[in-house]
Amino acid sequence: TNGGTRYIPAGQGFFVNASAAGTLGVTNAVRTHSTQDFWKSDENRMNRLSLTISNGEVNDETVIYFHQDATPELDYSFDAKKMMAEASPQAYTIMGDEKMAINTLNNTTQTPTVALGISAPAEGEYTLTASNIESFDASTPILLEDIATGQKISLREMSTYTFSAGEGTSERFVVHF
């Protein structure tokens, strides 16, 4: 998908989502010379909101992206499941029962709200920072609702939000478009 081939360019990585336990072996024997292009680009994607959670020492990001070819279901061409790390703060969106690192939806009219979850490794103060807001049309409102406090803030006016959280995972926020 996405123009991929059996060749992985030098300096690139990949994830494997396994449906059962097993072993994946890669030896030097599979190395080859190829003209495969480097996959990462500096392309600026429109309608892509990045949300980063931080405890002041460690950061984690989740992305909400809107693309005309996306569906409400898992699209391997656009979406990525979240691989959780218990020892650091985590941010993720919700797609059905799945925690997502990248959640790509069709448009803000079809999906005007997106559930945003966090995982706090310890009780404390955390900050959510929104970036790439300028990738959306200026007329698109982008609000963060803190379900625990009932507070709604415009991320266009204030791109950071600091809050206290207890240890654990919760679907504490909703992003409104």
Side-chain angles (χ1 to χ4, degrees), residues 30-116:
V30 301
R31 291 189 297 188
T32 185
H33 293 283
S34 170
T35 59
Q36 174 68 40
D37 291 333
F38 191 70
W39 287 337
K40 185 174 175 159
S41 72
D42 290 333
E43 174 186 342
N44 184 13
R45 295 200 169 124
M46 297 303 292
N47 301 320
R48 185 183 75 185
L49 178 67
S50 297
L51 295 159
T52 303
I53 187 171
S54 176
N55 63 0
E57 296 176 18
V58 180
N59 301 330
D60 181 63
E61 179 184 41
T62 189
V63 173
I64 302 169
Y65 179 40
F66 293 92
H67 189 280
Q68 65 188 17
D69 295 331
T71 70
E73 306 300 320
L74 180 64
D75 297 310
Y76 285 107
S77 296
F78 301 111
D79 300 315
K81 293 180 183 179
K82 186 72 171 189
M83 297 178 75
M84 300 293 286
E86 294 179 20
S88 62
Q90 302 282 287
Y92 56 90
T93 59
I94 314 298
M95 179 187 292
D97 294 333
E98 297 287 343
K99 293 177 175 131
M100 304 300 293
I102 302 172
N103 193 349
T104 306
L105 305 156
N106 188 271
N107 61 64
T108 58
T109 303
Q110 183 180 353
T111 310
T113 62
V114 178
L116 173 66

Side-chain angles (χ1 to χ4, degrees), residues 96-173:
D97 294 333
E98 297 287 343
K99 293 177 175 131
M100 304 300 293
I102 302 172
N103 193 349
T104 306
L105 305 156
N106 188 271
N107 61 64
T108 58
T109 303
Q110 183 180 353
T111 310
T113 62
V114 178
L116 173 66
I118 59 140
S119 178
E123 183 175 335
E125 194 167 275
Y126 296 89
T127 301
L128 274 174
T129 302
S131 56
N132 299 321
I133 294 169
E134 69 282 354
S135 73
F136 287 85
D137 185 275
S139 65
T140 302
I142 305 173
L143 305 172
L144 178 69
E145 178 182 6
D146 184 337
I147 296 170
T149 66
Q151 187 174 7
K152 265 189 190 178
I153 63 161
S154 169
L155 292 174
R156 289 191 179 278
E157 295 173 14
M158 186 169 65
S159 62
T160 61
Y161 178 71
T162 301
F163 60 97
S164 294
E167 180 180 349
T169 301
S170 69
E171 295 174 14
R172 177 169 175 165
F173 299 96

